[in-house]
Amino acid sequence: MCADNAIAEREAGAIRPLVDMLRRCGADSEIGALALAKLSSKEDNRIAIAKAGAIPPLVASLTLGTAGAKEKVAEALGNLALNNDNKIAIVKAGAISPLVELLTSGPA
């Protein structure tokens, strides 16, 4: 197993509770999105976040989340997409249409 995968496995346990927060409504979702956006700025965390199952709830938050959460979700997805495997997963999760909608009409 390469070093990146080992780091991802180790950190996935710390990231999973944040992913669970995305599935809640209101402030919890927004806090989870903010934390994942910040964590996803670090290359090593991008793998861990994807392995923790964050991509589908992040994409769902693009349409169901609060305005603040949507902005942070878009930031997190942008960071995650810097990894090629994540980029494919993000597209497969259906993020393109809600991201275009967010860009054209704003987070409201």
Side-chain angles (χ1 to χ4, degrees):
M1 173 163 48
C2 74
D4 285 344
N5 286 340
I7 292 167
E9 289 297 327
R10 184 182 72 239
E11 293 181 350
I15 292 169
R16 246 181 219 104
L18 297 172
V19 174
D20 291 339
M21 290 179 79
L22 287 175
R23 294 184 175 102
R24 299 181 192 140
C25 294
D28 280 352
S29 176
E30 205 163 323
I31 291 167
L34 172 65
L36 288 171
K38 288 188 180 291
L39 287 171
S40 65
S41 67
K42 184 178 175 194
E43 184 177 353
D44 292 341
N45 287 335
R46 293 179 193 134
I47 296 167
I49 291 168
K51 284 188 178 233
I55 292 173
L58 281 167
V59 172
S61 293
L62 286 171
T63 55
L64 302 173
T66 64
K70 289 177 184 180
E71 289 178 7
K72 291 303 170 188
V73 164
E75 180 182 345
L77 288 171
N79 289 338
L80 291 173
L82 294 172
N83 173 283
N84 285 331
D85 291 336
N86 290 347
K87 190 180 303 181
I88 293 166
I90 290 166
V91 170
K92 285 183 178 179
I96 301 303
S97 181
L99 282 170
V100 169
E101 177 69 23
L102 182 63
L103 286 170
T104 57
S105 59

Coordinates of all heavy atoms in Angstrom, one line a residue:
M1 N 0.8 -1.2 0.0 CA 0.0 0.0 0.0 C 0.9 1.2 0.0 O 1.8 1.3 0.8 CB -0.9 0.0 1.2 CG -1.7 1.2 1.5 SD -3.1 1.1 2.6 CE -2.5 0.3 4.0
C2 N 0.6 2.2 -0.9 CA 1.4 3.4 -0.9 C 1.1 4.3 0.3 O 0.1 4.2 0.9 CB 1.2 4.1 -2.3 SG -0.3 5.0 -2.4
A3 N 2.0 5.3 0.5 CA 1.9 6.2 1.6 C 0.6 6.9 1.6 O 0.0 7.1 2.7 CB 3.1 7.1 1.7
D4 N 0.2 7.4 0.4 CA -1.1 8.2 0.4 C -2.3 7.4 0.8 O -3.1 7.9 1.5 CB -1.3 8.7 -1.1 CG -0.4 9.8 -1.5 OD1 0.1 10.5 -0.5 OD2 -0.3 10.1 -2.7
N5 N -2.3 6.1 0.5 CA -3.4 5.3 0.9 C -3.4 5.0 2.4 O -4.4 5.0 3.0 CB -3.4 3.9 0.1 CG -3.9 4.1 -1.3 OD1 -4.5 5.1 -1.7 ND2 -3.5 3.1 -2.1
A6 N -2.2 4.9 3.0 CA -2.1 4.7 4.4 C -2.6 5.9 5.2 O -3.3 5.8 6.1 CB -0.7 4.4 4.8
I7 N -2.2 7.1 4.7 CA -2.7 8.3 5.3 C -4.2 8.4 5.2 O -4.9 8.8 6.1 CB -2.0 9.5 4.7 CG1 -0.5 9.5 5.0 CG2 -2.7 10.8 5.1 CD1 0.3 10.5 4.2
A8 N -4.7 8.1 4.0 CA -6.2 8.2 3.8 C -6.9 7.2 4.7 O -7.9 7.7 5.3 CB -6.5 7.8 2.3
E9 N -6.5 6.0 4.9 CA -7.1 5.1 5.8 C -7.1 5.6 7.2 O -8.1 5.5 7.9 CB -6.5 3.7 5.7 CG -6.7 3.0 4.4 CD -8.2 2.7 4.2 OE1 -8.9 2.4 5.1 OE2 -8.6 2.7 3.0
R10 N -6.0 6.1 7.6 CA -5.9 6.6 9.0 C -6.8 7.8 9.3 O -7.5 7.9 10.3 CB -4.4 7.0 9.3 CG -4.2 7.5 10.7 CD -2.7 7.9 10.9 NE -2.5 9.2 10.3 CZ -1.5 9.4 9.3 NH1 -0.8 8.4 9.0 NH2 -1.4 10.6 8.8
E11 N -6.9 8.7 8.3 CA -7.6 10.0 8.5 C -9.1 9.8 8.2 O -9.9 10.6 8.6 CB -7.1 11.1 7.6 CG -5.7 11.5 8.0 CD -5.1 12.6 7.2 OE1 -5.7 12.9 6.1 OE2 -4.1 13.1 7.6
A12 N -9.5 8.7 7.5 CA -10.9 8.5 7.2 C -11.8 8.4 8.4 O -12.9 8.9 8.5 CB -11.1 7.3 6.3
G13 N -11.2 7.9 9.5 CA -12.0 7.8 10.8 C -12.3 9.1 11.4 O -13.4 9.3 12.0
A14 N -11.4 10.1 11.2 CA -11.7 11.4 11.7 C -12.6 12.2 10.8 O -13.3 13.1 11.3 CB -10.4 12.2 11.9
I15 N -12.7 11.9 9.6 CA -13.5 12.6 8.6 C -14.9 12.1 8.6 O -15.8 12.9 8.3 CB -12.8 12.5 7.2 CG1 -11.5 13.3 7.3 CG2 -13.7 13.0 6.1 CD1 -10.6 13.1 6.1
R16 N -15.1 10.8 8.9 CA -16.5 10.3 8.8 C -17.6 11.1 9.6 O -18.7 11.3 9.1 CB -16.5 8.8 9.2 CG -16.8 7.9 8.0 CD -16.8 6.5 8.3 NE -16.2 5.8 7.1 CZ -15.0 5.4 7.1 NH1 -14.3 5.3 8.1 NH2 -14.6 4.9 5.9
P17 N -17.3 11.5 10.8 CA -18.3 12.3 11.5 C -18.7 13.6 10.8 O -19.8 14.0 10.9 CB -17.6 12.6 12.9 CG -16.6 11.5 13.0 CD -16.1 11.2 11.7
L18 N -17.7 14.2 10.1 CA -18.0 15.4 9.3 C -18.9 15.0 8.1 O -19.8 15.8 7.8 CB -16.7 16.0 8.8 CG -15.8 16.5 9.9 CD1 -14.5 17.0 9.3 CD2 -16.5 17.6 10.7
V19 N -18.7 13.9 7.5 CA -19.6 13.4 6.4 C -21.0 13.2 7.0 O -22.0 13.6 6.3 CB -19.0 12.2 5.8 CG1 -20.0 11.6 4.7 CG2 -17.7 12.4 5.2
D20 N -21.1 12.6 8.2 CA -22.4 12.4 8.8 C -23.1 13.8 9.0 O -24.3 13.9 8.9 CB -22.3 11.7 10.1 CG -21.9 10.2 9.9 OD1 -22.1 9.7 8.7 OD2 -21.4 9.6 10.8
M21 N -22.4 14.8 9.3 CA -23.0 16.1 9.6 C -23.6 16.7 8.3 O -24.6 17.4 8.4 CB -21.9 17.1 10.1 CG -21.5 16.8 11.5 SD -20.2 17.9 12.1 CE -21.2 19.3 12.5
L22 N -23.0 16.3 7.2 CA -23.6 16.8 5.9 C -25.0 16.3 5.7 O -25.8 17.0 5.0 CB -22.7 16.3 4.7 CG -21.4 17.0 4.5 CD1 -20.7 16.3 3.3 CD2 -21.6 18.4 4.2
R23 N -25.3 15.1 6.2 CA -26.6 14.5 6.0 C -27.7 15.2 6.9 O -28.9 14.8 6.8 CB -26.5 13.0 6.3 CG -25.6 12.3 5.3 CD -25.6 10.8 5.5 NE -24.9 10.2 4.4 CZ -23.6 9.7 4.6 NH1 -23.0 9.9 5.7 NH2 -23.0 9.1 3.5
R24 N -27.3 16.0 7.8 CA -28.2 16.7 8.7 C -28.7 18.0 8.1 O -28.0 18.5 7.2 CB -27.6 16.9 10.1 CG -27.2 15.6 10.7 CD -26.6 15.9 12.1 NE -26.0 14.7 12.6 CZ -24.9 14.7 13.3 NH1 -24.2 15.8 13.5 NH2 -24.4 13.6 13.7
C25 N -29.7 18.6 8.6 CA -30.1 19.9 8.1 C -29.5 21.1 8.9 O -29.1 20.9 10.0 CB -31.7 20.0 8.2 SG -32.5 18.8 7.2
G26 N -29.5 22.2 8.3 CA -29.2 23.4 9.0 C -27.7 23.6 9.3 O -26.8 23.3 8.5
A27 N -27.5 24.1 10.6 CA -26.1 24.4 11.0 C -25.1 23.3 10.9 O -24.0 23.4 10.6 CB -26.2 25.0 12.4
D28 N -25.6 22.1 11.3 CA -24.7 20.9 11.3 C -24.2 20.7 9.9 O -23.0 20.4 9.7 CB -25.4 19.6 11.8 CG -25.5 19.6 13.3 OD1 -24.9 20.4 14.0 OD2 -26.2 18.7 13.8
S29 N -25.0 20.8 8.9 CA -24.6 20.6 7.5 C -23.6 21.6 7.1 O -22.6 21.3 6.4 CB -25.9 20.6 6.6 OG -25.5 20.5 5.3
E30 N -23.9 22.8 7.5 CA -23.0 23.9 7.1 C -21.6 23.8 7.8 O -20.6 24.0 7.1 CB -23.6 25.3 7.5 CG -23.1 26.4 6.7 CD -24.0 27.6 6.8 OE1 -25.3 27.5 6.9 OE2 -23.5 28.7 6.8
I31 N -21.6 23.4 9.0 CA -20.3 23.2 9.7 C -19.6 22.0 9.1 O -18.3 22.1 8.9 CB -20.6 22.9 11.3 CG1 -21.1 24.2 11.9 CG2 -19.3 22.4 11.9 CD1 -21.7 24.0 13.3
G32 N -20.2 20.9 8.8 CA -19.6 19.8 8.1 C -19.0 20.2 6.8 O -17.9 19.8 6.4
A33 N -19.8 21.0 6.0 CA -19.3 21.4 4.7 C -18.1 22.4 4.9 O -17.1 22.2 4.1 CB -20.4 22.2 4.0
L34 N -18.1 23.2 5.8 CA -17.0 24.1 6.1 C -15.7 23.4 6.5 O -14.6 23.6 5.9 CB -17.3 25.1 7.2 CG -16.2 26.0 7.7 CD1 -15.7 27.0 6.6 CD2 -16.6 26.8 8.9
A35 N -15.9 22.4 7.4 CA -14.7 21.6 7.8 C -14.1 20.8 6.7 O -12.9 20.7 6.5 CB -15.1 20.7 9.0
L36 N -15.0 20.2 5.9 CA -14.5 19.4 4.7 C -13.9 20.3 3.7 O -12.9 19.9 3.0 CB -15.7 18.5 4.1 CG -16.1 17.4 5.0 CD1 -17.4 16.7 4.5 CD2 -15.0 16.3 5.2
A37 N -14.4 21.5 3.5 CA -13.8 22.4 2.5 C -12.4 22.7 3.0 O -11.4 22.7 2.2 CB -14.6 23.7 2.4
K38 N -12.2 23.0 4.2 CA -10.8 23.3 4.8 C -9.9 22.1 4.7 O -8.8 22.2 4.2 CB -10.9 23.8 6.2 CG -11.5 25.2 6.3 CD -11.4 25.8 7.7 CE -12.0 27.1 7.8 NZ -11.2 28.1 7.1
L39 N -10.4 20.9 5.1 CA -9.6 19.7 5.1 C -9.2 19.3 3.6 O -8.1 18.8 3.4 CB -10.3 18.6 5.8 CG -10.4 18.6 7.3 CD1 -11.4 17.6 7.8 CD2 -9.0 18.5 7.9
S40 N -10.1 19.5 2.7 CA -9.9 19.1 1.3 C -8.8 20.0 0.6 O -8.4 19.6 -0.5 CB -11.2 19.1 0.5 OG -11.7 20.4 0.4
S41 N -8.5 21.1 1.3 CA -7.4 21.9 0.7 C -6.0 21.2 0.8 O -5.1 21.6 0.1 CB -7.4 23.3 1.3 OG -7.0 23.2 2.7
K42 N -5.9 20.2 1.7 CA -4.7 19.5 1.8 C -4.7 18.2 1.0 O -5.7 17.4 1.1 CB -4.5 19.1 3.3 CG -3.2 18.4 3.6 CD -3.1 18.1 5.1 CE -1.8 17.3 5.3 NZ -1.8 16.7 6.6
E43 N -3.7 18.1 0.1 CA -3.7 17.0 -0.8 C -3.9 15.6 -0.2 O -4.7 14.8 -0.7 CB -2.4 17.0 -1.6 CG -2.3 15.9 -2.7 CD -1.0 16.0 -3.5 OE1 -0.3 17.0 -3.3 OE2 -0.8 15.1 -4.3
D44 N -3.3 15.3 0.9 CA -3.4 14.0 1.6 C -4.8 13.7 2.1 O -5.2 12.6 2.1 CB -2.5 14.0 2.8 CG -1.0 13.9 2.4 OD1 -0.7 13.6 1.2 OD2 -0.2 14.2 3.3
N45 N -5.6 14.8 2.4 CA -6.9 14.6 2.9 C -7.9 14.3 1.8 O -9.0 13.8 2.1 CB -7.4 15.8 3.7 CG -6.7 15.9 5.0 OD1 -6.3 14.9 5.6 ND2 -6.6 17.1 5.5
R46 N -7.6 14.6 0.6 CA -8.6 14.4 -0.5 C -8.9 13.0 -0.7 O -10.1 12.6 -1.0 CB -8.0 15.0 -1.8 CG -7.9 16.5 -1.8 CD -7.3 17.1 -3.0 NE -7.0 18.5 -2.7 CZ -5.9 19.1 -3.1 NH1 -5.0 18.4 -3.8 NH2 -5.6 20.3 -2.7
I47 N -8.0 12.1 -0.6 CA -8.2 10.7 -0.7 C -9.1 10.2 0.5 O -10.0 9.5 0.3 CB -6.9 9.9 -0.8 CG1 -6.2 10.3 -2.1 CG2 -7.1 8.4 -0.7 CD1 -4.7 9.8 -2.1
A48 N -8.7 10.6 1.7 CA -9.4 10.2 2.9 C -10.9 10.7 2.9 O -11.8 9.9 3.3 CB -8.7 10.8 4.2
I49 N -11.1 11.9 2.4 CA -12.5 12.4 2.3 C -13.3 11.6 1.4 O -14.4 11.2 1.7 CB -12.5 13.9 2.0 CG1 -11.9 14.7 3.1 CG2 -13.9 14.4 1.6 CD1 -11.5 16.2 2.8
A50 N -12.8 11.2 0.2 CA -13.5 10.4 -0.7 C -13.7 9.0 -0.2 O -14.8 8.5 -0.3 CB -12.7 10.3 -2.0
K51 N -12.7 8.4 0.5 CA -12.9 7.1 1.0 C -13.9 7.1 2.2 O -14.5 6.0 2.4 CB -11.5 6.6 1.5 CG -10.6 6.1 0.4 CD -9.4 5.4 1.0 CE -8.6 5.0 -0.2 NZ -8.2 3.6 -0.1
A52 N -14.1 8.2 2.8 CA -15.1 8.3 3.9 C -16.5 8.4 3.3 O -17.5 8.5 4.1 CB -14.8 9.4 4.8
G53 N -16.6 8.4 2.0 CA -18.0 8.5 1.4 C -18.5 9.9 1.3 O -19.8 10.0 1.2
A54 N -17.7 10.9 1.3 CA -18.2 12.3 1.3 C -18.8 12.8 0.0 O -19.6 13.7 0.0 CB -17.1 13.2 1.7
I55 N -18.4 12.2 -1.1 CA -18.8 12.8 -2.4 C -20.3 12.8 -2.6 O -20.9 13.8 -2.9 CB -18.0 12.2 -3.6 CG1 -16.5 12.6 -3.4 CG2 -18.6 12.6 -4.9 CD1 -15.6 12.0 -4.4
P56 N -21.0 11.7 -2.4 CA -22.5 11.7 -2.6 C -23.2 12.7 -1.7 O -24.0 13.5 -2.2 CB -22.9 10.2 -2.4 CG -21.7 9.4 -2.7 CD -20.5 10.3 -2.3
P57 N -22.9 12.7 -0.4 CA -23.6 13.7 0.4 C -23.2 15.2 0.1 O -24.0 16.1 0.2 CB -23.3 13.4 1.9 CG -22.2 12.4 1.8 CD -22.2 11.8 0.5
L58 N -22.0 15.4 -0.4 CA -21.6 16.7 -0.8 C -22.4 17.1 -2.0 O -22.9 18.2 -2.0 CB -20.1 16.8 -1.1 CG -19.1 16.9 0.0 CD1 -17.7 16.6 -0.4 CD2 -19.2 18.2 0.7
V59 N -22.5 16.2 -3.0 CA -23.3 16.6 -4.2 C -24.8 16.8 -3.8 O -25.4 17.7 -4.3 CB -23.2 15.4 -5.2 CG1 -24.1 15.6 -6.4 CG2 -21.7 15.4 -5.7
A60 N -25.3 16.0 -2.9 CA -26.7 16.2 -2.4 C -26.9 17.5 -1.8 O -27.9 18.2 -1.9 CB -27.1 15.1 -1.5
S61 N -25.9 18.0 -1.1 CA -26.0 19.3 -0.4 C -26.0 20.5 -1.3 O -26.4 21.6 -1.0 CB -24.8 19.4 0.6 OG -24.9 18.5 1.7
L62 N -25.6 20.2 -2.6 CA -25.6 21.3 -3.6 C -27.0 21.7 -3.8 O -27.3 22.9 -4.2 CB -24.9 20.9 -4.9 CG -23.4 20.8 -4.9 CD1 -22.9 20.1 -6.2 CD2 -22.8 22.2 -4.7
T63 N -28.0 20.8 -3.7 CA -29.4 21.2 -3.9 C -30.2 21.2 -2.6 O -31.2 22.0 -2.6 CB -30.0 20.1 -4.9 OG1 -29.9 18.8 -4.3 CG2 -29.4 20.2 -6.2
L64 N -29.8 20.5 -1.6 CA -30.6 20.5 -0.4 C -30.0 21.3 0.8 O -30.8 21.6 1.7 CB -30.7 19.0 0.1 CG -31.3 18.0 -0.8 CD1 -31.1 16.6 -0.3 CD2 -32.7 18.4 -1.2
G65 N -28.8 21.7 0.7 CA -28.2 22.5 1.8 C -28.6 23.9 1.8 O -29.2 24.5 1.0
T66 N -28.1 24.6 2.9 CA -28.3 26.0 3.1 C -27.4 26.7 2.1 O -26.5 26.2 1.5 CB -28.0 26.4 4.5 OG1 -26.5 26.2 4.7 CG2 -28.8 25.7 5.6
A67 N -27.7 28.0 1.9 CA -26.9 28.8 1.0 C -25.4 28.8 1.4 O -24.5 28.6 0.6 CB -27.4 30.3 1.0
G68 N -25.1 28.9 2.7 CA -23.7 28.8 3.2 C -23.1 27.5 3.0 O -21.9 27.4 2.6
A69 N -23.9 26.4 3.2 CA -23.4 25.1 3.0 C -23.0 24.9 1.5 O -22.0 24.3 1.2 CB -24.4 24.1 3.5
K70 N -23.9 25.4 0.6 CA -23.7 25.2 -0.8 C -22.4 25.8 -1.3 O -21.6 25.2 -2.1 CB -24.8 25.8 -1.6 CG -26.1 25.0 -1.5 CD -27.2 25.7 -2.3 CE -28.6 25.0 -2.1 NZ -29.6 25.7 -2.8
E71 N -22.0 26.9 -0.8 CA -20.8 27.6 -1.1 C -19.6 26.8 -0.7 O -18.6 26.6 -1.4 CB -20.7 29.0 -0.5 CG -21.6 30.0 -1.2 CD -21.6 31.3 -0.5 OE1 -20.7 31.6 0.3 OE2 -22.4 32.2 -0.9
K72 N -19.7 26.2 0.6 CA -18.6 25.4 1.1 C -18.5 24.1 0.4 O -17.4 23.5 0.2 CB -18.7 25.3 2.6 CG -18.5 26.6 3.3 CD -17.1 27.1 3.0 CE -16.9 28.6 3.5 NZ -15.6 29.1 3.0
V73 N -19.6 23.5 0.1 CA -19.7 22.3 -0.7 C -19.0 22.4 -2.0 O -18.2 21.6 -2.4 CB -21.1 21.8 -0.8 CG1 -21.2 20.7 -1.9 CG2 -21.6 21.2 0.5
A74 N -19.3 23.5 -2.7 CA -18.7 23.8 -4.0 C -17.2 23.9 -3.9 O -16.4 23.4 -4.7 CB -19.3 25.0 -4.7
E75 N -16.7 24.6 -2.8 CA -15.3 24.7 -2.5 C -14.7 23.3 -2.3 O -13.6 23.0 -2.8 CB -15.1 25.6 -1.3 CG -13.6 25.8 -1.0 CD -13.4 26.7 0.3 OE1 -14.4 27.4 0.7 OE2 -12.3 26.7 0.8
A76 N -15.3 22.5 -1.4 CA -14.8 21.2 -1.1 C -14.7 20.3 -2.4 O -13.7 19.6 -2.6 CB -15.7 20.5 -0.1
L77 N -15.8 20.3 -3.2 CA -15.8 19.5 -4.4 C -14.7 20.0 -5.4 O -14.0 19.2 -6.1 CB -17.1 19.6 -5.1 CG -18.2 18.8 -4.4 CD1 -19.6 19.1 -5.0 CD2 -18.0 17.3 -4.4
G78 N -14.5 21.3 -5.5 CA -13.4 21.8 -6.3 C -12.0 21.3 -5.8 O -11.2 20.9 -6.6
N79 N -11.8 21.3 -4.5 CA -10.6 20.8 -4.0 C -10.4 19.3 -4.2 O -9.4 18.8 -4.6 CB -10.5 21.1 -2.5 CG -10.3 22.5 -2.1 OD1 -9.8 23.3 -3.0 ND2 -10.6 22.9 -0.9
L80 N -11.5 18.6 -4.0 CA -11.5 17.1 -4.2 C -11.2 16.8 -5.6 O -10.5 15.8 -6.0 CB -12.8 16.5 -3.7 CG -13.1 16.5 -2.2 CD1 -14.5 16.0 -1.9 CD2 -12.0 15.7 -1.5
A81 N -11.7 17.6 -6.6 CA -11.5 17.3 -8.0 C -10.1 17.5 -8.5 O -9.8 17.1 -9.6 CB -12.5 18.2 -8.8
L82 N -9.2 18.0 -7.6 CA -7.8 18.1 -8.0 C -7.2 16.7 -8.0 O -6.1 16.5 -8.6 CB -7.1 19.0 -7.0 CG -7.5 20.5 -7.1 CD1 -6.8 21.2 -5.9 CD2 -7.2 21.1 -8.4
N83 N -7.9 15.7 -7.5 CA -7.5 14.3 -7.6 C -8.3 13.7 -8.7 O -9.5 13.8 -8.7 CB -7.7 13.6 -6.2 CG -7.5 12.1 -6.3 OD1 -8.3 11.4 -6.8 ND2 -6.4 11.7 -5.7
N84 N -7.6 13.0 -9.6 CA -8.3 12.5 -10.8 C -9.4 11.5 -10.5 O -10.4 11.5 -11.1 CB -7.3 11.9 -11.8 CG -6.5 13.0 -12.6 OD1 -7.1 14.1 -12.8 ND2 -5.3 12.7 -13.0
D85 N -9.1 10.6 -9.5 CA -10.1 9.6 -9.2 C -11.3 10.3 -8.6 O -12.5 9.9 -8.8 CB -9.5 8.6 -8.2 CG -8.5 7.6 -8.8 OD1 -8.5 7.4 -10.0 OD2 -7.7 7.1 -8.1
N86 N -11.1 11.3 -7.8 CA -12.2 12.0 -7.2 C -13.0 12.7 -8.2 O -14.2 12.8 -8.2 CB -11.7 13.0 -6.1 CG -11.2 12.4 -4.9 OD1 -11.4 11.2 -4.6 ND2 -10.5 13.1 -4.1
K87 N -12.3 13.3 -9.2 CA -13.0 14.0 -10.3 C -14.0 13.1 -11.0 O -15.1 13.5 -11.2 CB -11.9 14.5 -11.3 CG -12.4 15.4 -12.3 CD -11.3 15.9 -13.3 CE -10.2 16.5 -12.6 NZ -9.1 16.9 -13.4
I88 N -13.6 11.9 -11.3 CA -14.5 10.9 -11.9 C -15.7 10.6 -11.0 O -16.8 10.6 -11.4 CB -13.7 9.7 -12.3 CG1 -12.7 10.0 -13.4 CG2 -14.7 8.5 -12.7 CD1 -11.7 8.9 -13.6
A89 N -15.4 10.4 -9.7 CA -16.5 10.1 -8.7 C -17.5 11.3 -8.6 O -18.7 11.1 -8.5 CB -15.9 9.8 -7.4
I90 N -16.9 12.5 -8.7 CA -17.8 13.7 -8.6 C -18.7 13.8 -9.8 O -19.9 14.0 -9.6 CB -16.9 15.0 -8.4 CG1 -16.3 15.0 -7.0 CG2 -17.8 16.2 -8.6 CD1 -15.1 16.0 -6.9
V91 N -18.2 13.5 -10.9 CA -19.0 13.6 -12.1 C -20.1 12.4 -12.1 O -21.3 12.7 -12.3 CB -18.2 13.4 -13.4 CG1 -19.0 13.2 -14.6 CG2 -17.3 14.7 -13.6
K92 N -19.7 11.2 -11.7 CA -20.6 10.1 -11.6 C -21.7 10.3 -10.5 O -22.8 9.8 -10.7 CB -19.8 8.8 -11.3 CG -19.1 8.3 -12.5 CD -18.4 7.0 -12.1 CE -17.7 6.4 -13.3 NZ -17.0 5.1 -13.0
A93 N -21.4 11.1 -9.5 CA -22.4 11.4 -8.5 C -23.4 12.5 -8.9 O -24.3 12.8 -8.2 CB -21.7 11.9 -7.2
G94 N -23.2 13.0 -10.1 CA -24.2 14.0 -10.6 C -23.9 15.4 -10.2 O -24.9 16.2 -10.2
A95 N -22.7 15.8 -10.0 CA -22.4 17.2 -9.5 C -22.5 18.2 -10.6 O -22.7 19.4 -10.2 CB -21.1 17.2 -8.8
I96 N -22.3 17.9 -11.8 CA -22.2 18.9 -12.8 C -23.4 19.8 -12.9 O -23.3 21.1 -12.9 CB -21.9 18.3 -14.2 CG1 -20.6 17.5 -14.2 CG2 -21.8 19.4 -15.3 CD1 -19.3 18.2 -13.7
S97 N -24.6 19.3 -13.0 CA -25.8 20.1 -13.2 C -26.0 21.0 -12.0 O -26.2 22.2 -12.1 CB -27.0 19.2 -13.4 OG -28.1 20.0 -13.6
P98 N -25.9 20.5 -10.7 CA -26.1 21.4 -9.6 C -25.0 22.4 -9.5 O -25.3 23.6 -9.0 CB -26.2 20.5 -8.4 CG -26.1 19.1 -8.8 CD -25.9 19.1 -10.3
L99 N -23.8 22.1 -9.9 CA -22.7 23.1 -9.8 C -23.0 24.2 -10.8 O -22.8 25.4 -10.5 CB -21.4 22.4 -10.1 CG -20.8 21.7 -8.9 CD1 -19.6 20.9 -9.3 CD2 -20.4 22.7 -7.7
V100 N -23.4 23.9 -12.0 CA -23.8 24.9 -13.0 C -24.9 25.8 -12.5 O -24.8 27.0 -12.7 CB -24.1 24.2 -14.4 CG1 -24.7 25.2 -15.4 CG2 -22.9 23.5 -15.0
E101 N -25.9 25.1 -11.9 CA -27.0 25.9 -11.4 C -26.6 26.9 -10.3 O -27.0 28.0 -10.2 CB -28.1 24.9 -10.8 CG -29.2 25.6 -10.1 CD -30.1 26.4 -11.1 OE1 -30.2 26.1 -12.3 OE2 -30.8 27.3 -10.6
L102 N -25.7 26.4 -9.4 CA -25.1 27.2 -8.4 C -24.3 28.4 -8.9 O -24.5 29.5 -8.5 CB -24.2 26.4 -7.4 CG -23.6 27.1 -6.2 CD1 -24.7 27.6 -5.3 CD2 -22.7 26.1 -5.5
L103 N -23.6 28.1 -10.0 CA -22.8 29.2 -10.6 C -23.7 30.2 -11.3 O -23.4 31.4 -11.3 CB -21.8 28.6 -11.6 CG -20.6 27.9 -11.0 CD1 -19.8 27.2 -12.1 CD2 -19.7 28.9 -10.3
T104 N -24.8 29.8 -11.9 CA -25.6 30.7 -12.7 C -26.6 31.5 -11.8 O -26.9 32.6 -12.2 CB -26.3 30.0 -13.8 OG1 -27.1 28.9 -13.3 CG2 -25.4 29.4 -14.8
S105 N -27.1 30.9 -10.7 CA -28.1 31.5 -10.0 C -27.7 31.8 -8.5 O -28.5 32.5 -7.8 CB -29.4 30.7 -10.0 OG -29.2 29.4 -9.5
G106 N -26.6 31.4 -8.1 CA -26.1 31.7 -6.7 C -26.6 30.6 -5.8 O -27.4 29.8 -6.1
P107 N -26.2 30.7 -4.5 CA -26.4 29.7 -3.5 C -27.8 29.7 -2.9 O -28.2 28.9 -2.1 CB -25.4 29.9 -2.4 CG -25.1 31.4 -2.6 CD -25.2 31.7 -4.0
A108 N -28.6 30.7 -3.1 CA -29.9 30.9 -2.5 C -30.8 29.7 -2.7 O -30.8 28.9 -3.5 CB -30.6 32.1 -2.9

